Amino acid sequence: MRNPFSRRRLMRERPSAPEHRSIEKEGASSAGVVGRIDARFRVAAWLVIAQGVVMEMGAPLALPVFLVTGLDQKDVGEHFRFALPYLQNNLYLLMIMSGIFGSLRVLGGIGILRDRLWGLGITLVMCVVTLVLMVFMLPAGIADGLLSGGALVLIAFAWFGSRPISARAYAEP
């Protein structure tokens, strides 16, 4: 009697490349390429990853140095100016929050590059939150707004494409 679960039999029946998978099963794009995301999604992902690494992760990496050297946050705050005095007075807490934002940005960007919907969701939330909060983080908020706004526009173009607003999926009465 043959074993239906033998390793040799399973290896023969398994597709050797992703192209053998059914497009309907994978929910791939109409272009017919399985597992390849739109270039606009990739550029948006790299924008948020760069923003997370360069702009957001630098502050929490500097925090231990400031704490070990004994610098008061008022002394550090003389070199970094923000629009709100509250942020200026709580600079160390702002640095911790920046690390959280940076981690979420990198996580969302990696999710998009891996073609995962959760990455798109995290990135959309982070872009919208950043655009709302950038006013309070001036002058650094300008760069945040450019990167997050650019990523949001690229995601919207890739997601919605060139379909007109007037095209409806339902019949009007």
Side-chain angles (χ1 to χ4, degrees), residues 60-73 76 92 95-96:
L61 293 176
L63 182 61
V65 175
F66 292 154
L67 293 175
V68 168
T69 57
L71 285 174
D72 187 29
Q73 63 182 350
V76 176
Y92 288 169
M95 292 170 115
I96 294 169

Side-chain angles (χ1 to χ4, degrees), residues 43-154:
V43 172
W46 283 111
L47 276 176
V48 296
I49 288 173
Q51 181 181 9
V53 170
V54 174
M55 293 188 65
E56 306 290 352
M57 297 300 280
L61 293 176
L63 182 61
V65 175
F66 292 154
L67 293 175
V68 168
T69 57
L71 285 174
D72 187 29
Q73 63 182 350
K74 292 195 187 287
D75 296 334
V76 176
E78 290 177 10
H79 302 289
F80 302 103
R81 293 280 178 210
F82 293 105
L84 296 177
Y86 174 78
L87 298 176
Q88 197 73 31
N89 296 335
N90 295 298
L91 196 58
Y92 288 169
L93 293 176
L94 185 65
M95 292 170 115
I96 294 169
M97 287 182 358
S98 178
I100 295 169
F101 267 66
S103 300
L104 287 171
R105 284 184 207 290
V106 170
L107 183 68
I110 289 171
I112 289 177
L113 290 176
R114 294 188 64 199
D115 199 13
R116 299 292 183 249
L117 198 54
W118 56 262
L120 182 66
I122 290 172
T123 302
L124 285 174
V125 169
M126 293 308 298
C127 286
V128 170
V129 167
T130 301
L131 290 174
V132 170
L133 293 179
M134 70 180 231
V135 176
F136 304 113
M137 305 298 264
L138 292 174
I142 295 170
D144 272 340
L146 289 173
L147 291 171
S148 288
L152 188 61
V153 167
L154 285 169

